[in-house]
Amino acid sequence: MNNISNGSRGERAPWYHSDYRDSITNIVIEEGITSVGSWAFISLVNVTTVTIPSTVTVIQPHAFQNCQGIKCMNLPNGLTAIGVDAFLFMDSCEEFKIDDKSDGTHPAFYTEDGVLFNNKTLITYPQGNKRTSYRVPYGTEELGALSFANTPNLQTVYIPETMIKKHGRMFYNDSSRSVHMSNPLYIYFLTAGKTVDMNGSVFQDLPSGSKIYVKNQESCNQLNSGSAFANKEDVKAEVYQQTEPYSAYEALKKTYENNTYRLNSGRTTLFRYEAADAPTARDTTAWTSSNTDIAISPDGMGYITGGTKPGKATITVTREDKKEFFSFTVVNVVPTTSTEIYNQADGKQQVLGNSLCIHTGKSDTVRLQTVPELTTALAGKVTWTSSDSSKVSVKASGTHNEEATLSRKAAGDVTVTAAMKDENGNMIKKSFQVIGNKSANWYVMVNNNADVWVRDSTPVEPKVVVKDCNSKNVLKAGTDYTLSYHENFLPQGENDWWGYVTILPIGEYNGNPSMEEAFLICRGEQPDDTDNSKNPDTNQKKDDNQNTSDSKKPQNSSTTNNLKKQKITKVSSAYKKSVGQSFTLKPKAKGKITYKTGNKKVATVNSKGKVTVKGTGKATITVTAKATSTYSKSVKKITVYGVPKKPEMKKLTAGKKKFTVQWKKDKKADGYQVQYSTDKKFKKNVKSVNVSKKSTKATVKKLKKGKTYWVRMHSYKKINGKKYYSGWGKVKSVKVR
């Protein structure tokens, strides 16, 4: 599950039940969740704290509406979308917080003085903030819908001259609620007002006695004659006059000295002290920056623009007579567009990892996407490059070359890079490996498909033969693949045990997934009927597989005495296969061979010996070699263990010294095992975590910061009290924070 949803207005969520809804005080959203759905936590009035993980990118409409007890709303820095009224009627909320990203860039949504912004739009003012006066930052161009809803402590709001757009009822006031605006509100538009459309009942919710102050009579007449006040006679617009400076320098010094303020690269912030009842800064002659790459003050009048580099700079303000000066600090944050490369997989666009497998003669398409949307973030087109175009060629398409078709021409690993400039002119690069060449259709045979017989617990490494099913070539160990054995010994007290060998492709086959095969280790001497090194016709031992009932039938004594014992060879006594797999038994015998299954729910077999695994569990396949004129009838029992399919990871998410892996639940599995290592080949530093069948995710903690871990998993089925594992799923990597 990637989304927390609460249905329509919350009535479907279990935490919304009346028996315990009011007792909930803390909300903790688990790592891996990407979206908080509409109405998810509406009206949980006693909640005081909310923990939202870094994986959440979307908060949908009304998600936290009417959560009246939250004082500080901490939001993740990866947010890309916030729905309407997501934080409406949070009576106690005094501030919003979003930390800068680890690379020093600021996220799509950010906060200034506890107020929530997106680019140049003020989204939400915290309803419970204690200040009585608020100055909307210079450079803000839009006030969001209901942005100042029910803010009882505010008495004065200053709106800068950069404002060009606002929504109706931005000062929404629901007087029926216990927390609302009851005292008059005074709003100053520090602009001529001609560029701002203030009609459409914009101020219809203001308390009685409220006033809108503008700089000229034309704007005043426009407001009073329109519908901005919804015919409220006691709410009016008036013209204010700026007073003469009493000492602008002193006012500036009192406001800014020794404080620290945030800048955003490319945006201009006004540090001039300007209000209806306060002086301007026009008696100061010098505003200087210690580093113009970080902060620029081009006109010396308090308009400071964030530079191209992140960091701190000192701003010095000098009085007109040059006899006195003061300084303050600004911190510039350089926004960098977030980019991801996507690939079509399983019918939908998915984020591409570190590599993409493309075999010779095949092609695949990738797409570069950005936040914000590509079409607005690009200063130019995307440039795609291949480190070796003779092996993998790249052809760009799309309005901004945002898509690329990759075609494999020859073997070998190739690095493909997408480069672009963001809206601030910063170069962004994304690279990944294109791997793979030859067929992934392999045939693996361990110990000639026979059991391994041992007398003790010494580890065994049976012979492995790997063939390319397309070319029929036998592959070479060390050139085309490497082998690693595990659990390849017979524990003390056990008479049989499953060992495993992992085949890891290398060289020209390195784009293939790794394979794992099981082999059965048995205690004792190898029986004659499975000893392929001996002539089956010379076996002098009793054949345990012979149908002894046949010896009791009346037969011609001379014929019976002359019949030789028939043996069934070239098949193992047990096989372990995943649900859905098929394989063909190819036994050798003198008489005609027939097959029969003892459990059709686990495995079926046809007349040609093709076995198809239908479900998990154990099935016995009876192989019968009919009698001939020379050989007696023989029977061999083969055990087929049906195990779950290889589990596939849906998501692998990095956290702080941890990672979380998620997968799709397999109803036929009795449990799962997650294995991780700092070694891609899992030859060292290997650790495992066992997970019950009820779970679809696991979190591994206490890892090393900044370390890359390789992760894989398999599932198991318990048969007669023993665990039988599936093959390993695809290996993925994750770098923990």
Side-chain angles (χ1 to χ4, degrees), residues 548-674:
T548 57
S549 63
D550 287 350
S551 63
K552 299 178 182 180
K553 294 180 180 180
Q555 299 183 33
N556 184 297
S557 61
S558 61
T559 303
T560 303
N561 292 334
N562 292 329
L563 289 179
K564 296 180 180 180
K565 291 181 180 180
Q566 183 176 193
K567 292 177 293 184
I568 301 174
T569 62
K570 299 294 185 180
V571 287
S572 179
S573 60
Y575 294 87
K576 189 190 77 166
K577 300 292 180 180
S578 299
V579 174
Q581 276 191 302
S582 296
F583 65 101
T584 302
L585 300 172
K586 298 180 180 180
K588 298 293 185 180
K590 298 299 182 180
K592 184 180 179 181
I593 296 175
T594 60
Y595 307 90
K596 185 179 181 180
T597 181
N599 190 342
K600 293 182 178 180
K601 292 183 178 180
V602 175
T604 61
V605 61
N606 66 13
S607 61
K608 295 182 179 181
K610 183 179 180 180
V611 180
T612 302
V613 181
K614 298 292 187 179
T616 55
K618 178 180 175 183
T620 300
I621 304 295
T622 302
V623 182
T624 302
K626 292 186 176 181
T628 70
S629 60
T630 306
Y631 292 90
S632 62
K633 177 181 176 180
S634 184
V635 177
K636 185 176 180 66
K637 303 285 187 182
I638 298 173
T639 303
V640 176
Y641 297 93
V643 299
K645 294 180 180 180
K646 297 178 181 180
E648 295 296 335
M649 287 180 274
K650 292 174 60 180
K651 198 168 189 178
L652 183 60
T653 307
K656 190 175 182 181
K657 295 184 179 181
K658 65 181 181 181
F659 67 77
T660 299
V661 57
Q662 294 177 271
W663 60 90
K664 185 178 180 180
K665 186 176 182 179
D666 186 351
K667 295 181 180 180
K668 296 182 179 183
D670 290 332
Y672 310 88
Q673 187 182 70
V674 177

Side-chain angles (χ1 to χ4, degrees), residues 332-389:
N332 186 44
V333 182
V334 179
T336 300
T337 305
S338 174
T339 63
E340 292 288 356
I341 294 178
Y342 286 73
N343 175 244
Q344 189 80 15
D346 298 327
K348 59 181 180 180
Q349 291 284 334
Q350 296 183 353
V351 176
L352 182 67
N354 298 324
S355 63
L356 178 65
C357 178
I358 304 177
H359 299 299
T360 300
K362 302 296 183 179
S363 300
D364 207 342
T365 301
V366 296
R367 177 183 175 86
L368 181 70
Q369 293 185 192
T370 67
V371 179
E373 289 297 323
L374 185 67
T375 54
T376 60
L378 283 175
K381 292 189 175 183
V382 181
T383 301
W384 296 86
T385 56
S386 169
S387 61
D388 191 339
S389 57

Side-chain angles (χ1 to χ4, degrees), residues 14-16 20-27 44-48:
W15 55 83
Y16 197 75
Y20 44 81
R21 178 182 63 191
D22 292 342
S23 64
I24 299 175
T25 58
N26 301 308
I27 298 173
L44 296 182
V45 296
N46 293 319
V47 168
T48 59

Side-chain angles (χ1 to χ4, degrees), residues 100 104-112 117-121 137-140 261-269 271 293-296 304-311 330-336 424:
D100 290 337
T105 64
H106 86 265
F109 291 85
Y110 60 93
T111 58
E112 291 186 14
F117 290 83
N118 178 17
N119 195 15
K120 299 179 181 181
T121 301
Y138 183 89
T140 303
Y261 302 91
R262 171 184 173 133
L263 299 177
N264 294 316
S265 180
R267 288 187 59 184
T268 301
T269 302
F271 287 87
D293 289 333
I294 295 174
I296 307 167
I304 300 176
T305 304
T308 58
K309 296 183 178 180
V330 292
V331 179
N332 186 44
V333 182
V334 179
T336 300
N424 298 301

